[in-house]
């Protein structure tokens, strides 16, 4: 059964992001006083960071401000430090890439293209690297990886999709290869930049 791992039934699942669960790692690894750790990485403090980030991100649609971008960069860094890499993933790194590119673009009008190129190169390479890793993985090539990944989801609807794919091995294999081909083919945007719209 691909869904034998039901994370939602684990009591730690609901407390995995709490300060109580993460404080020992933070206290041991961060070279700052515990008093500051308990303030700046507390549950109460971190409740407001995502809300502020969302409001500031919406504000950027109306006015591009380097100070807002710097705040978003620093606040995202705090979030990543708080989780010490335990829950951080590729999306967190891409947030830093995009914010860095926007900051470069905002510093000076002459650097605008440089910031956009920086974001574009990292985006293409991240897709291609992910596809290359999947191509080298036997589980992705034989169609096992996708249903296994979906079967570990805490959401029942996603786990049901894993069961559906498990019962249809040909479809499952085709989808695995579709993901691999999609991610590897992004390299074509260097030759045909118009294809970037398809990947966005």
């Amino acid at each position: 059964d691909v869904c034998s791992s039901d994370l939602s039934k684990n009591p730690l699942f609901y407390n995995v992001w709490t300060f109580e669960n993460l404080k020992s790692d933070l206290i041991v690894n961060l070279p700052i006083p515990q008093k500051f750790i308990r303030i700046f990485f507390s549950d109460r403090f971190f409740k407001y960071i995502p809300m502020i980030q969302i409001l500031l991100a919406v504000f950027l649609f109306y006015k591009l401000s380097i100070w807002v971008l710097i705040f978003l960069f620093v606040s995202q860094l705090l979030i990543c430090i708080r989780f010490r890499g335990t829950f951080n993933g590729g999306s967190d790194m891409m947030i830093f890439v995009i914010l860095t590119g926007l900051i470069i673009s905002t510093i000076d009008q002459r650097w605008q293209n440089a910031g956009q190129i920086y974001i574009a190169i990292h985006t293409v390479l991240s897709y291609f690297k992910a596809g290359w890793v999947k191509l080298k993985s036997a589980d992705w090539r034989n169609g096992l990886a996708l249903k296994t990944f979906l079967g570990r989801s805490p959401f029942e609807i996603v786990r049901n999709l894993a069961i559906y794919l498990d019962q249809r091995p040909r479809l499952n294999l085709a989808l695995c290869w579709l993901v691999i081909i999609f991610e590897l083919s992004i390299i074509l945007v260097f030759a045909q930049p118009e294809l970037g719209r398809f990947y966005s």
Side-chain angles (χ1 to χ4, degrees), residues 182 185-200:
F182 175 78
S185 64
I186 196 172
I187 203 76
L188 296 174
V189 301
F190 285 128
Q192 294 291 332
E194 305 82 34
L195 292 174
R197 296 178 182 178
F198 172 72
Y199 291 94
S200 62

Side-chain angles (χ1 to χ4, degrees), residues 32-102:
I32 57 177
Q34 289 189 25
K35 179 174 65 175
F36 293 107
I37 293 175
R38 295 183 184 279
I39 293 173
F40 292 110
F41 297 97
S42 67
D43 294 330
R44 178 179 294 181
F45 184 83
F46 264 78
K47 283 180 181 177
Y48 299 107
I49 287 185
M51 291 187 285
I52 295 172
Q53 285 183 322
I54 291 171
L55 291 173
L56 291 177
V58 171
F59 173 79
L60 288 175
F61 281 102
Y62 298 97
K63 182 176 176 59
L64 193 61
S65 166
I66 190 170
W67 299 110
V68 171
L69 291 169
I70 290 173
F71 177 86
L72 289 172
F73 187 97
V74 172
S75 62
Q76 184 65 22
L77 183 61
L78 283 175
I79 291 174
C80 288
I81 291 174
R82 185 182 196 266
F83 297 129
R84 300 291 296 159
T86 310
F87 307 105
N88 300 332
S91 59
D92 294 292
M93 183 54 65
M94 282 308 301
I95 289 173
F96 283 121
V97 167
I98 292 170
L99 289 173
T100 302
L102 289 174

Side-chain angles (χ1 to χ4, degrees), residues 88-194:
N88 300 332
S91 59
D92 294 292
M93 183 54 65
M94 282 308 301
I95 289 173
F96 283 121
V97 167
I98 292 170
L99 289 173
T100 302
L102 289 174
I103 289 171
I104 292 171
S105 298
T106 312
I107 290 175
D108 192 297
Q109 189 70 24
R110 293 171 296 180
W111 291 15
Q112 187 170 5
N113 287 340
Q116 294 173 356
I117 292 171
Y118 175 83
I119 294 171
I121 290 175
H122 273 278
T123 302
V124 170
L125 291 181
S126 65
Y127 266 96
F128 185 81
K129 182 180 178 181
W132 184 252
V133 170
K134 289 180 177 67
L135 182 62
K136 294 194 298 182
S137 168
D139 285 347
W140 274 96
R141 293 196 307 271
N142 63 27
L144 179 64
L146 185 59
K147 65 180 182 181
T148 303
F149 173 75
L150 296 174
R152 292 173 179 167
S153 172
F155 304 106
E156 184 178 0
I157 189 171
V158 179
R159 297 197 303 273
N160 289 338
L161 179 58
I163 294 172
Y164 178 85
L165 291 176
D166 191 42
Q167 297 168 349
R168 294 161 178 81
R170 290 184 179 179
L171 174 61
N172 188 56
L173 179 64
L175 289 175
C176 281
W177 275 98
L178 185 62
V179 172
I180 293 172
I181 293 169
F182 175 78
E183 291 183 339
L184 288 176
S185 64
I186 196 172
I187 203 76
L188 296 174
V189 301
F190 285 128
Q192 294 291 332
E194 305 82 34

Side-chain angles (χ1 to χ4, degrees), residues 20-35:
E20 190 66 27
N21 193 41
L22 299 169
K23 68 178 180 180
S24 59
D25 189 40
L26 292 167
I27 290 171
V28 169
N29 291 287
L30 287 181
I32 57 177
Q34 289 189 25
K35 179 174 65 175

